Amino acid sequence: MINLDTKIFPTWCPGCGDFGIWAALKAAIHQLNLETHQFVMVYDIGCNGNMGSSIKAYGLHGLHGRAIPAATGIKLANHTQKVIVIGGDGGLLGEGMTHFISACRANMDITVILHNNQVYGLTTGQSSPTSMKGSKGKATPFGVTETPVEPCAFALLSGASFVARSFAGSIPESTKIIASAINHEGFSLVEMLQPCVTFNKLNSYDWFRQRVKHLSQTPTDVYEAITKARWTDQEIFTGIFRNDESAISYHETFQILKTKTLIQHSEKRDLTKYIHDWVE
Ligand code: SF4
């Protein structure tokens, strides 16, 4: 079993939901017996992305909203790697929304763990694309007027082949779901319900515990999956909404990648010749 622990402990606020996700992710990697050379982490900007210094693994800390394109590049360069994205509702559904849709549509074989705390935590509490209507923040003192984006329903409509949700307050269930998502071949989304104890006083652990219900069975069709994935005032389901193992991943559509990776294809190319040409 690899040691994923660093000497740096995360600097999240005490009680932050990120701790639960961090623990579940590490447990899932152990459960899958992944070795360090078999996966790459890509972190977006946000409190979630600060996980980058607290997991001993190969990784890249990208620009805000751009973790998915970076992960896509890594996957296409070496498709033998598992690629795991850590991002938040702000980065992935605000600045990075089109990248999110594109990855779902392409069935890009990456795992996106979306920390949904319904607020921009790192910049001290502005409303985000998933903030609830009427919720008040520093930039919205009279309450949010827009309809919140629902990442699971959105991913299902956009063609994602694995879509799930878990609650940061339940590490065993989150471990199981994250492990299934990483194992899935194709695009996988895990929306993590992540209380931000400092800047989101509305969607607290207790608020979620009153609403979270475990989905007993994965829906058989996408429309039923969307219905179950939608939040209501009374209940928010956790579990796997869709797991289509027959969907073809984007990289599998390229004949050239059937025999070796893109990196292996380009190994014999003398790049210095091209650099020389450019300089000339
Ligand atoms: Fe966690 Fe919120 Fe603190 Fe950020 S601001 S570390 S999301 S509790």
Side-chain angles (χ1 to χ4, degrees), residues 8-239:
I8 303 166
F9 198 68
T11 52
W12 297 312
C13 309
C16 173
D18 281 338
F19 283 106
I21 305 172
W22 180 56
L25 172 64
K26 290 197 292 180
I29 291 170
H30 285 146
Q31 208 175 82
L32 295 171
N33 282 321
L34 287 180
E35 296 292 331
T36 335
H37 64 277
Q38 294 174 311
F39 69 101
V40 181
M41 304 291 307
V42 184
Y43 305 93
D44 210 281
I45 299 297
C47 294
N48 56 79
N50 292 345
M51 192 187 285
S53 41
S54 317
I55 290 191
K56 201 156 99 189
Y58 291 111
L60 174 82
H61 205 156
L63 299 174
H64 199 201
R66 312 300 169 199
I68 287 180
T72 298
I74 292 167
K75 185 71 198 183
L76 295 182
N78 184 354
H79 62 267
T80 64
Q81 296 285 306
K82 294 279 184 194
V83 184
I84 304 165
V85 172
I86 298 293
D89 42 304
L92 298 179
L93 302 175
E95 295 84 345
M97 174 62 106
T98 49
H99 302 307
F100 182 82
I101 299 171
S102 299
C104 292
R105 289 178 55 228
N107 197 28
M108 193 61 64
D109 186 14
I110 59 175
T111 297
V112 174
I113 300 176
L114 193 155
H115 299 218
N116 187 4
N117 60 10
Q118 301 162 270
V119 74
Y120 282 93
L122 193 68
T123 48
T124 71
Q126 296 77 17
S127 60
S128 82
T130 58
S131 297
M132 291 176 69
K133 255 189 183 176
S135 61
K136 292 182 180 166
K138 284 189 176 164
T140 47
F142 304 111
V144 171
T145 54
E146 297 99 322
T147 302
V149 175
E150 297 189 46
C152 285
F154 204 70
L156 285 162
L157 265 179
S158 307
S161 56
F162 182 105
V163 178
R165 178 186 294 131
S166 194
F167 172 43
S170 172
I171 296 174
E173 186 189 16
S174 302
T175 302
K176 229 167 121 188
I177 288 179
I178 291 173
S180 303
I182 296 173
N183 228 7
H184 176 74
E185 291 179 6
F187 183 87
S188 52
L189 167 73
V190 183
E191 177 193 3
M192 291 298 313
L193 306 173
Q194 182 233 319
C196 168
V197 293
T198 305
F199 295 113
N200 186 346
K201 301 292 184 193
L202 173 65
N203 308 109
S204 63
Y205 283 95
D206 281 346
W207 189 92
F208 280 116
R209 283 198 183 105
Q210 284 160 18
R211 290 165 177 79
V212 163
K213 294 205 173 94
H214 185 70
L215 191 67
S216 52
Q217 228 179 332
T218 301
T220 46
D221 76 83
V222 77
Y223 299 104
E224 189 196 344
I226 291 169
T227 306
K228 293 284 183 202
R230 298 214 61 192
W231 291 32
T232 70
D233 290 341
Q234 290 78 35
E235 54 190 14
I236 303 169
F237 281 108
T238 58

